[in-house]
Amino acid sequence: MTLVDPHGRRINYLRLSVTDRCNLRCRYCMPAEGRVKVGHGDILSYEELLRVARAAVAIGVEKIRVTGGEPLVRRGIIDFLRRLAAIPGLRRLVLTTNGVMLPEMAVPLRDAGVESLNISLDSLRPETFAAITRGGDLRQVLAGIAAAESAGFRFIKINVVVMRGVNDDELEEFAALTLDRPYRVRFIEYMPTLAEPGWEATVMPGAEILARLSRRFAMTDEASENLAGPARYQRIAGAAGLVGVITPVSCHFCGDCNRIRVTSTGIAKSCLFDCGTVDLRPVLAGGDDAALRDALCRVVAEKPDRHQLTEGGGEKGRIDMDRIGG
Ligand code: SAM
Ligand code: SF4
Ligand code: SF4
């Protein structure tokens, strides 16, 4: 089945958050004081998440990204992923992680059917990494990336949220990682999810990131493939991997948006920056999977054509990234 929203975009991608808990506390994602934890009873069970996933695939979703919070901290995640990967009609199962638990979990994830990993890493310097993550240990993530590479994932994408004055001096170093490793390093514009005053100063626009990189490296455009995400990729001459820029703020990719989201508490969202939400829990409690498919179709029908961050919309409210999953 093909699922098309009112703006003519084909929707075939679900981002599914399985937990709001995390073993890091990144400064752009969570407030310093942390969050009031959602009780275990409020988080969808794996059975419920599988029902949501099956309903989504039945209406036209072909790719699911499992995210969080940190998805690898939820007990039983490997078995859940194995069941998710087995859903007929699902073409691609991928996962976003902070990488901390990958040294032990990379091989089980690969065996469970996860095709590729997005690993978040915002600094290659131990002190900056610890400051951004409020205490994280860079060595764990670097070991996690190495473990993912040995486990044989199709792609290893490294997501770098670029923050002016925090880690923008590391752009070239990150890009240079692709010279001999097959990674896709993606620079993401910082989004004002915590709606802090003056957030604009922290955003480094994608165009500026690319201009900086092209002063140092000779780069050529790479064609994007089917079911690809929002990154536009370039290859440094002779490099094994690719660099990409994701520009949610400056040049929104909303025109190509193909996604819906479901949070770990069962809220389906039509857009990251929009209140178009449907609470799936009553529908799940009713036990009728046709109603679940209808509810997801309603979410698609409510998709806005684009976000309004650059028109001041970013200060309207906070976005709980740790609950929504990015
Ligand atoms: N814990 C996992 C991780 O960090 O990869 C998965 C969840 S995390 C919320 C998903 C992605 O959202 C991460 O790549 C993170 O960098 C990104 N993210 C969170 N807050 C962001 C922000 N304010 N601006 C840009 N990206 C953000
Ligand atoms: Fe945790 Fe990921 Fe948010 Fe960092 S970005 S606090 S690792 S959920
Ligand atoms: Fe899609 Fe909303 Fe993100 Fe735009 S802001 S790409 S419409 S989810």
Side-chain angles (χ1 to χ4, degrees), residues 256-270:
D256 294 327
C257 185
N258 60 350
R259 62 197 56 196
I260 55 171
R261 295 174 160 80
V262 174
T263 70
S264 52
T265 54
I267 306 297
K269 287 182 69 82
S270 66

Side-chain angles (χ1 to χ4, degrees), residues 9 248 252-255 257-259 261 270-273 303-307:
R9 297 170 298 195
H252 34 76
F253 38 77
C254 306
C257 185
N258 60 350
R259 62 197 56 196
R261 295 174 160 80
S270 66
C271 170
L272 181 56
F273 291 96
K303 260 185 92 63
D305 62 338
R306 63 193 191 98
H307 73 63

Side-chain angles (χ1 to χ4, degrees), residues 78 82 101-114 117 147-148 150-153:
I78 298 291
R82 189 172 295 114
M101 295 177 72
L102 282 178
E104 323 75 87
M105 293 180 81
V107 170
L109 284 169
R110 187 78 194 94
D111 291 347
V114 174
L117 293 178
S150 341
F153 284 94

Side-chain angles (χ1 to χ4, degrees), residues 114-126:
V114 174
E115 184 182 289
S116 71
L117 293 178
N118 283 11
I119 304 172
S120 303
L121 174 61
D122 301 326
S123 177
L124 295 167
R125 300 185 184 148

Side-chain angles (χ1 to χ4, degrees), residues 22 24-26 28-30 69-70 98 322:
C22 189
L24 296 179
R25 206 156 293 286
C26 303
Y28 53 70
C29 178
M30 295 203 196
E70 174 48 41
N98 60 29
D322 53 323

Side-chain angles (χ1 to χ4, degrees), residues 185-244:
V185 171
R186 296 128 47 94
F187 298 106
I188 306 178
E189 285 175 349
Y190 166 80
M191 293 184 278
T193 47
L194 299 179
E196 74 281 18
W199 61 268
E200 289 91 343
T202 309
V203 179
M204 182 179 260
E208 187 179 340
I209 296 172
L210 280 178
R212 268 265 304 273
L213 293 176
S214 57
R215 277 203 289 277
R216 167 83 170 271
F217 304 105
M219 301 196 299
T220 48
D221 284 343
E222 282 281 315
S224 62
E225 59 167 74
N226 189 24
L227 280 179
R232 297 283 168 267
Y233 287 109
Q234 310 230 320
R235 189 184 295 275
I236 298 176
L242 302 175
V243 290

